[in-house]
């Protein structure tokens, strides 16, 4: 598949065509019945010599990660094979370090027939999910841990995101972004307060003040040192813990509200270091954004008609819980695609982070 001359690779019709081509490619690989399964304990570093290298080379030739000009068999894991492995790793959401380890071997050992099945499942899901899709749209692909702001023929903005853990998943949704909150106050959900904060308070009630948090009982602020936290549990917890705006606030400086039955939303985060990981399922269900300021700038300019100067003034204000309505609500699509084709024409696969593939969503 040749690189596209335009970036419209997430246009519903164009992506459908690319997925159909990907199905043809992997069907051909499956039909050759010539795919090698590698030893699960295989470990390769650049320059290593191993009798399994020709099998790796053969598989990379079939998937077109390795060009056919490099088809001469070798037992040396040389720079050409390292580069091909890095490309394979990028296509499968793995750390692109060129080292062949457990994760890379596991991805290679997925049979081509299973890849075909996954591509077909995802094509069906894509066609079902993107019907009557409005542009521009904010699109979040959960298995890719990435957000795209798309117009009909270009990607206006993209960023890494952090999504919910498997136990507290980010839910699929076809909705709209309605408002932005500057300097948000975080009212801790009951589950987080009971399961994570109360155990800490049993040892150190001063933790709340260190984290710029306050505790309320029936709407009245109370002194955490006067509460016997050792006796507080899920059955009798009757408090509201709130974190005030500031550098430690778990919502960061911006919160984006969308219509959701699960009370989920998108927000900034002070934990920027988490974006460096390839698999980013760390949250309790809400979506943390790598570039919240850039998204807010676009929404307030293009969907609320504000000048850039006015937007920057609004985002710089120090008011607590300052709500800014998005005058033209922004379409938002949160979907689940473990397979798709990139703008470079390369077939992409991602781990099934929530185990939904067995359900064929």
């Amino acid at each position: 598949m040749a690189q596209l001359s335009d970036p419209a690779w997430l246009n519903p019709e164009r992506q459908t065509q690319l997925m159909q081509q990907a199905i043809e490619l992997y069907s051909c690989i499956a039909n050759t019945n010539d795919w090698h399964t590698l030893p699960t304990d295989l470990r390769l570093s650049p320059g290593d010599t191993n009798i399994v290298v020709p099998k790796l080379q053969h598989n990379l030739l079939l998937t077109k990660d390795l060009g056919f000009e490099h088809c001469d068999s070798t037992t040396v894991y040389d720079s050409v094979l390292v580069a091909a492995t890095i490309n394979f790793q990028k296509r499968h959401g793995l750390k692109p370090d060129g080292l062949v380890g457990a994760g890379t071997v596991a991805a290679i050992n997925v049979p081509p027939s299973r890849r075909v099945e996954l591509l077909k499942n995802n094509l069906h899901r894509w066609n079902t999910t993107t019907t009557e899709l409005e542009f521009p749209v904010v699109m979040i692909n959960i298995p890719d841990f990435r957000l795209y702001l798309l117009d009909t023929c270009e990607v206006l903005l993209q960023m890494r995101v952090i999504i919910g853990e498997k136990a507290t998943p980010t839910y699929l949704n076809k909705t709209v972004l309605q408002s932005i909150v500057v300097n948000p106050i975080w009212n801790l959900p009951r589950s987080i307060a009971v399961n994570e904060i109360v155990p800490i308070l049993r040892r150190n009630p001063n933790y709340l003040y260190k984290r710029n948090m306050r505790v309320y009982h029936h709407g009245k602020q109370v002194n955490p040192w006067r509460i016997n936290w050792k006796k507080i549990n899920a059955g009798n917890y009757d408090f509201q813990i709130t974190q005030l705006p500031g550098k430690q606030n778990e919502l960061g400086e911006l919160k984006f509200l969308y219509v959701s039955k699960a009370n989920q939303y998108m927000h900034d985060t002070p934990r920027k270091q988490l974006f460096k990981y390839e698999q980013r399922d760390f949250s309790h269900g809400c979506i943390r954004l790598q570039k919240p300021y850039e998204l807010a700038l676009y929404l307030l300019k293009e969907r609320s008609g504000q000048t850039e100067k006015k937007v920057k003034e609004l985002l710089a204000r120090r008011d607590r819980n300052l709500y800014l309505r998005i005058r033209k609500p922004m379409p938002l699509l949160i979907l689940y695609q473990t397979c798709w084709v990139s703008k470079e024409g390369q077939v992409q696969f991602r781990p099934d982070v929530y185990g939904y593939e067995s359900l064929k969503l």
Side-chain angles (χ1 to χ4, degrees):
M1 282 176 266
Q3 181 168 343
L4 305 182
S5 58
D6 60 67
W9 48 276
L10 280 178
N11 176 278
E13 294 79 12
R14 185 66 176 126
Q15 182 62 208
T16 295
Q17 295 172 353
L18 295 169
M19 290 280 283
Q20 289 169 339
Q21 294 175 27
I23 291 170
E24 293 176 8
L25 170 63
Y26 276 82
S27 293
C28 289
I29 297 174
N31 291 336
T32 63
N33 197 28
D34 196 20
W35 187 260
H36 295 297
T37 299
L38 305 182
T40 56
D41 60 350
L42 177 66
R43 301 293 182 267
L44 290 175
S45 297
D48 285 353
T49 299
N50 193 300
I51 60 173
V52 180
V53 168
K55 293 182 178 180
L56 170 65
Q57 179 186 28
H58 178 81
N59 287 358
L60 294 175
L61 284 166
L62 289 177
T63 57
K64 302 187 185 300
D65 290 294
L66 181 65
F68 279 101
E69 65 272 19
H70 304 293
C71 63
D72 292 338
S73 182
T74 178
T75 58
V76 179
Y77 186 53
D78 59 21
S79 60
V80 174
L81 284 175
V82 171
T85 299
I86 289 174
N87 193 65
F88 178 91
Q89 290 170 331
K90 288 179 179 178
R91 293 196 305 107
H92 291 77
L94 301 168
K95 184 178 180 180
D97 55 12
L99 302 176
V100 176
T104 301
V105 170
I108 290 174
N109 284 349
V110 175
S113 58
R114 175 56 178 162
R115 296 295 187 194
V116 173
E117 182 181 3
L118 290 171
L119 285 163
K120 289 180 178 178
N121 291 347
N122 278 264
L123 176 56
H124 174 74
R125 196 152 61 234
W126 175 260
N127 288 332
T128 302
T129 306
T130 60
T131 54
E132 301 179 355
L133 189 63
E134 297 181 45
F135 286 92
V137 60
V138 173
M139 184 182 291
I140 298 172
N141 184 10
I142 289 175
D144 191 29
F145 310 99
R146 190 168 288 273
L147 176 151
Y148 300 92
L149 173 56
L150 306 168
D151 208 339
T152 51
C153 61
E154 62 179 323
V155 179
L156 303 175
L157 176 67
Q158 61 175 295
M159 69 184 78
R160 293 186 164 204
V161 301
I162 293 167
I163 55 99
E165 299 173 351
K166 189 172 183 178
T168 55
T170 298
Y171 292 106
L172 311 186
N173 208 336
K174 193 172 186 178
T175 181
V176 290
L177 283 164
Q178 294 182 315
S179 58
I180 301 170
V181 184
V182 183
N183 304 314
I185 292 172
W186 184 36
N187 293 314
L188 277 68
R190 178 185 177 87
S191 60
I192 296 177
V194 171
N195 297 326
E196 300 181 26
I197 305 302
V198 169
I200 297 175
L201 298 180
R202 289 170 184 157
R203 302 188 302 270
N204 178 23
N206 200 48
Y207 172 84
L208 292 175
Y209 286 107
K210 288 183 178 180
R211 299 286 295 166
N212 202 19
M213 292 178 177
R214 304 292 183 266
V215 59
Y216 297 86
H217 187 251
H218 299 306
K220 183 179 179 180
Q221 185 175 343
V222 295
N223 186 339
W225 285 95
R226 296 190 174 184
I227 301 170
N228 187 350
W229 293 105
K230 292 181 180 180
K231 292 185 177 181
I232 302 301
N233 53 48
N236 62 14
Y237 178 84
D238 192 22
F239 303 94
Q240 174 62 63
I241 297 176
T242 295
Q243 188 176 41
L244 302 180
K247 293 182 179 180
Q248 296 187 76
N249 190 287
E250 290 296 330
L251 305 185
E253 297 180 354
L254 294 169
K255 179 170 72 171
F256 300 77
L257 299 177
Y258 57 84
V259 180
S260 169
K261 294 180 181 179
N263 191 30
Q264 295 183 345
Y265 45 85
M266 306 189 305
H267 63 87
D268 183 19
T269 176
R271 305 186 186 196
K272 308 294 187 185
Q273 72 277 11
L274 295 179
F275 290 110
K276 69 181 181 180
Y277 294 96
E278 299 301 320
Q279 184 160 325
R280 297 181 293 278
D281 51 333
F282 303 127
S283 86
H284 292 87
C286 290
I287 301 166
R288 305 178 199 172
L289 305 178
Q290 183 186 30
K291 303 175 184 178
Y293 186 87
E294 290 86 337
L295 179 60
L297 196 65
Y298 172 88
L299 293 173
L300 294 174
K301 283 178 59 181
E302 304 301 328
R303 306 296 289 191
S304 291
Q306 303 282 5
T307 65
E308 184 166 341
K309 179 181 178 182
K310 180 63 175 178
V311 171
K312 290 182 177 179
E313 289 176 355
L314 289 171
L315 297 180
R317 288 175 61 173
R318 304 315 304 168
D319 311 49
R320 291 182 180 180
N321 258 21
L322 174 63
Y323 277 74
L324 304 175
R325 182 173 64 89
I326 301 171
R327 293 178 184 174
K328 292 173 61 179
M330 183 74 183
L332 170 65
L333 178 61
I334 303 174
L335 43 62
Y336 197 88
Q337 294 291 130
T338 61
C339 315
W340 70 95
V341 182
S342 71
K343 68 177 181 178
E344 292 81 18
Q346 295 195 333
V347 189
Q348 303 290 314
F349 297 97
R350 293 296 183 272
D352 182 14
V353 62
Y354 291 159
Y356 288 167
E357 286 297 354
S358 60
L359 305 177
K360 297 185 179 180
L361 293 181

